[in-house]
């Protein structure tokens, strides 16, 4: 027992002695941070980086945060944090308490933009040996951006010890950046230059492309510039490929939003022939229902907030569907066969609904939060995919599939299809067409409410939310074929993809105008859209 205690005490003494020795070695360099003005501080930072001792990190972090001061009485550099009218002082290396000092007893070590860049580079170099893989990865990224030649030796030592493949790759990329842009480039062999350019090409992002372009246009050797130019060409082709895939993903994402907004309109427009200008307000009602559900969860069950979206889905469907049925029973049913009056009536209803929501909730945007499982993003090759958009795409296709099954496999769906294809014959066969009309309008409005739940996660929830999607919804329905769900799906994805591929070249507004012109020309050739419905009433 005594032997164990003596051994433990010896270990503690050795550790304390080692810490004191390291602190003693770094003390003059830390002291130099407070002398010589900006240039003296920058020189001391460079020396701390070359020392490669992580024990200097707290002092440099305090300098970055504006907490490093010089005690006027003896010129000692200390960490000072305000506590009332005085400052609490600690040692920048050992973090030992040094008591308090009045405000006039210490003087702040000031930094400028050049020093801020030097501090970031020093911290990157000194944290390369951290036991935390995330810290090492961040340090490697910081060194890549700063390309500080003083970190090269520490970086090489860190690469030799690194076991994590991802962190090791980031360190090798930082090392390649330093070698190609620093003085060491003139001493590199052709094989080393080729290896460095290949490493940056493998990184495959815009930062690597900018760096290689800089090397290709610099005063480096002809071999270096030639290899850098070849790497730039390869990287540009790679980035162009991933940019095309990213635009395709954006198009799919926008198409899924258009599908959600238009699919309910396709049902009502196809079955009833009603030009419902208030369809966008059904989307808006769904979004505000989501807001109310989330407010309830925030007030009464904050721990279950992640479930609020799942509760908002049926709530929005029922509320928007109920409003739709009321509108059909009170207004639309008296205007069948009079499309112009229907258009004007539903337009007036849209204005009334907007003003009602504006009076109840106010004109400003309302905050709708995203649950944790819809937050964040992930990388897939060169693609950046947000979880929110991914879930909306999945949800849109799920709603489409569910509606398709309902129309094909249920009595209600069979009645809708019968009324769509031949209303007089369906009426003669005993189908209550007035009831089908009301339920169909409610179904279309309910699906619009589901679209509002999805849009609340990616757009501003305001009284004007639906107005941004009503025109696009009509374009999708007309382009795909009135009343045809498959046409709505193809139309939504086609128009969404076209928009996203045109935007980089023509801009968002001109791109949408070009899409509208395309649809006008297309309808001239195919007035019934891509997938025309068949039936006696339809063909008549």
């Amino acid at each position: 027992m005594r032997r164990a205690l003596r051994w433990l005490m010896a270990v503690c003494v050795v550790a304390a002695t080692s810490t004191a020795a390291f602190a003693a070695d770094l003390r003059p360099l830390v002291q130099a941070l407070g002398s010589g003005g900006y240039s003296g501080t920058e020189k001391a930072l460079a020396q701390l980086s070359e020392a490669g001792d992580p024990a200097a990190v707290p002092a440099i972090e305090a300098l970055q945060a504006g907490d490093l001061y010089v005690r006027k009485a003896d010129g000692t550099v200390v960490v000072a944090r305000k506590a009332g009218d005085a400052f609490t002082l600690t040692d920048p290396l050992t973090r030992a308490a040094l008591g308090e000092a009045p405000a006039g007893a210490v003087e702040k070590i000031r930094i400028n933009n050049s020093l801020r860049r030097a501090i970031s580079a020093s911290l990157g170099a000194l944290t390369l040996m951290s036991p935390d893989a995330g810290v090492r990865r961040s340090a490697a990224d910081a060194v890549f951006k700063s390309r500080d030649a003083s970190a090269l030796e520490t970086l090489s030592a860190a690469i030799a010890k690194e076991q994590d493949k991802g962190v090791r790759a980031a360190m090798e990329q930082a090392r390649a950046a330093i070698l190609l842009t620093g003085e060491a480039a003139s001493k590199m062999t052709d094989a080393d230059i080729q290896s460095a350019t290949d490493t940056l090409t493998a990184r495959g992002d815009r930062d690597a492309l900018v760096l290689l372009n800089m090397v290709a246009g610099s005063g480096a050797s002809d071999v270096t510039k030639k290899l850098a130019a070849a790497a730039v060409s390869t990287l540009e082709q790679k980035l162009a490929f991933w940019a095309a895939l990213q635009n395709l993903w954006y198009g799919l994402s926008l198409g899924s939003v258009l599908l959600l907004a238009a699919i309910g309109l396709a049902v009502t427009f196809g079955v009833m022939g009603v030009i419902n200008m208030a369809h966008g307000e059904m989307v808006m009602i769904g979004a505000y229902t989501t807001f109310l559900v989330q407010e309830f969860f925030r007030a009464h069950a904050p721990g279950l907030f992640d479930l609020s979206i799942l509760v908002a889905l049926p709530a929005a469907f029922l509320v928007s569907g109920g409003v739709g049925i009321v509108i059909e029973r009170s207004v639309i049913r008296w205007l069948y066969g009079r499309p112009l009056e229907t258009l004007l009536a539903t337009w007036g209803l849209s204005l009334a609904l907007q003003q009602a929501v504006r009076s109840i909730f106010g004109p400003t945007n309302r905050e709708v939060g995203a649950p944790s499982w819809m937050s964040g993003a992930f990388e897939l090759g060169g693609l950046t995919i947000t979880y929110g958009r991914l879930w909306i795409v999945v949800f849109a296709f799920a709603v489409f599939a569910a509606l398709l099954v309902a129309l094909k496999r249920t009595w209600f769906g069979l009645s809708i299809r019968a009324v769509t294809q031949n209303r007089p014959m369906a009426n003669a066969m005993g189908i209550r067409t007035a009831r089908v009309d009301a339920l169909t309008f409610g179904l279309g409005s309910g699906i619009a409410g589901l679209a509002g739940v999805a849009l609340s996660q990616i757009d501003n929830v305001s009284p004007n939310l639906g107005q941004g999607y009503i025109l696009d919804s009509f374009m999708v329905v007309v382009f795909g074929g009135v009343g045809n769900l498959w046409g709505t799906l193809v139309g939504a994805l086609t128009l969404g993809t076209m928009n996203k591929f045109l935007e980089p070249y023509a801009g968002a507004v001109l791109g949408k105008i070009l899409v509208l012109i395309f649809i006008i020309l297309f309808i001239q050739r195919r007035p019934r859209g891509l997938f025309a419905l068949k039936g006696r009433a339809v063909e008549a």
Side-chain angles (χ1 to χ4, degrees):
M1 183 66 178
R2 290 179 179 177
R3 183 178 298 177
L5 285 173
R6 284 198 298 269
W7 179 83
L8 181 59
M9 290 175 65
V11 169
C12 292
V13 169
V14 170
T17 304
S18 300
T19 303
F22 286 140
D25 292 338
L26 294 175
R27 184 73 62 187
L29 300 179
V30 173
Q31 281 297 118
L33 291 172
S35 60
Y38 293 139
S39 59
T41 303
E42 189 165 1
K43 183 178 178 181
L45 273 173
Q47 291 173 340
L48 284 170
S49 297
E50 291 171 3
D53 191 345
V57 169
I60 300 175
E61 288 178 338
L63 178 63
Q64 186 180 46
D67 293 333
L68 205 63
Y69 286 73
V70 175
R71 189 162 56 187
K72 294 180 179 180
D74 54 6
T76 302
V77 172
V78 295
V79 176
R81 291 184 174 89
K82 197 167 183 62
D85 296 331
F87 283 89
T88 301
L89 308 183
T90 55
D91 188 282
L93 291 175
T94 64
R95 303 186 185 183
L98 300 177
E100 293 187 351
V106 290
E107 182 179 356
K108 186 174 183 177
I109 301 176
R110 302 191 178 278
I111 59 175
N112 55 16
N113 289 335
S114 176
L115 272 174
R116 288 186 183 93
R117 289 190 291 269
I119 289 169
S120 297
S122 295
L123 286 174
L126 291 172
T127 51
L128 287 169
M129 299 294 188
S130 170
D132 188 334
V135 173
R136 297 197 303 274
R137 179 62 181 263
S138 299
D141 290 338
V143 174
F144 178 87
K145 293 176 181 178
S146 67
R147 299 188 291 277
D148 184 7
S150 64
L152 187 57
E153 186 177 344
T154 305
L155 190 58
S156 299
I159 291 173
K161 296 179 181 179
E162 187 57 58
Q163 300 296 322
D164 188 294
K165 291 183 179 180
V167 176
R168 184 184 179 90
M171 289 180 176
E172 289 174 345
Q173 291 159 9
R175 183 175 181 272
I178 294 173
L179 290 175
L180 286 176
T181 56
E183 295 178 359
S186 59
K187 302 176 183 178
M188 294 171 65
T189 64
D190 292 352
D192 290 337
I193 297 171
Q194 181 70 65
S195 176
T197 54
D198 288 346
T199 299
L200 292 179
T201 304
R203 181 182 174 98
D205 62 1
R206 292 285 171 188
D207 290 336
L209 180 61
V210 169
L211 193 147
L212 286 169
N213 267 317
M214 184 176 69
V215 173
S218 68
S221 65
D222 292 339
V223 173
T224 303
K225 289 194 287 187
K226 181 179 179 181
L227 291 174
V232 166
S233 177
T234 302
L235 193 52
E236 283 178 341
Q237 293 176 9
K238 183 179 179 180
L239 288 174
F241 169 75
W242 285 113
L245 287 184
Q246 188 73 60
N247 278 334
L248 187 61
W249 164 250
Y250 288 151
L252 178 62
S253 176
L254 176 60
S256 66
V257 171
L258 294 179
L259 176 64
L260 280 173
I263 194 170
L265 187 64
V267 173
T268 56
F269 195 17
V271 173
M272 306 162 67
V274 172
I275 304 174
N276 181 18
M277 295 299 293
H279 184 76
E281 278 54 56
M282 301 299 107
V283 175
M284 174 196 68
I285 289 173
Y288 273 97
T289 302
T290 307
F291 166 72
L292 291 175
V293 169
Q294 288 200 348
E295 287 297 296
F296 176 83
F297 271 84
R298 285 191 180 101
H300 301 285
L304 300 176
F305 183 79
D306 282 352
L307 301 178
S308 61
I309 290 294
L310 301 180
V311 176
L313 289 173
F317 181 83
L318 292 174
V319 173
S320 296
V323 172
I325 291 175
V326 170
I327 290 174
E328 196 280 336
R329 290 287 83 187
S330 59
V331 178
I332 304 297
R333 67 178 298 187
W334 311 107
L335 300 175
Y336 287 130
R338 298 154 65 184
L340 182 59
E341 286 89 340
T342 304
L343 186 149
L344 291 174
T346 54
W347 180 59
L349 279 172
S350 74
L351 296 179
L353 288 171
Q354 284 182 50
Q355 189 56 46
V357 169
R358 193 174 284 111
S359 300
I360 296 171
F361 296 99
T364 56
N365 297 337
R366 290 292 180 171
E367 179 187 359
V368 174
S372 59
W373 46 273
M374 288 185 69
S375 303
F378 65 94
E379 300 286 336
L380 183 63
L383 296 178
T384 300
I385 299 176
T386 60
Y387 286 107
R389 289 279 184 174
L390 179 62
W391 279 112
I392 289 175
V393 171
V394 172
F395 177 66
F397 280 96
V399 170
F400 176 81
L403 184 60
L404 204 61
V405 170
L407 292 178
K408 295 289 185 182
R409 303 293 182 185
T410 65
W411 175 87
F412 178 53
L414 182 63
S415 300
I416 291 177
R417 288 158 55 204
V419 172
T420 302
Q421 294 179 14
N422 196 324
R423 180 180 289 270
M425 184 58 71
N427 200 17
M429 295 296 294
I431 296 176
R432 297 169 61 183
T433 56
R435 182 182 178 187
V436 170
D437 286 339
L439 293 178
T440 302
F441 202 89
L443 175 64
S445 299
I447 294 173
L450 295 179
V453 178
L455 288 173
S456 70
Q457 299 298 304
I458 60 174
D459 207 340
N460 296 323
V461 177
S462 70
N464 300 319
L465 173 65
Q467 293 299 301
Y469 296 93
I470 184 66
L471 178 60
D472 290 334
S473 298
F474 273 110
M475 286 198 297
V476 167
V477 171
V478 172
F479 176 65
V482 175
N484 191 300
L485 292 185
W486 286 105
T488 303
L489 174 66
V490 174
L493 296 181
T494 301
L495 296 185
T497 304
M498 284 179 62
N499 262 310
K500 288 303 177 183
F501 272 96
L502 286 173
E503 278 182 10
Y505 306 102
V509 176
L510 183 57
K512 187 163 288 190
I513 292 173
L514 291 175
V515 170
L516 180 59
I517 293 173
F518 164 76
I519 291 177
I520 292 172
L521 296 176
F522 180 83
I523 296 302
Q524 294 292 322
R525 302 284 299 177
R526 292 180 65 92
R528 295 183 183 175
L530 282 172
F531 301 94
L533 283 175
K534 293 183 179 181
R536 291 176 182 171
V538 173
E539 291 168 356

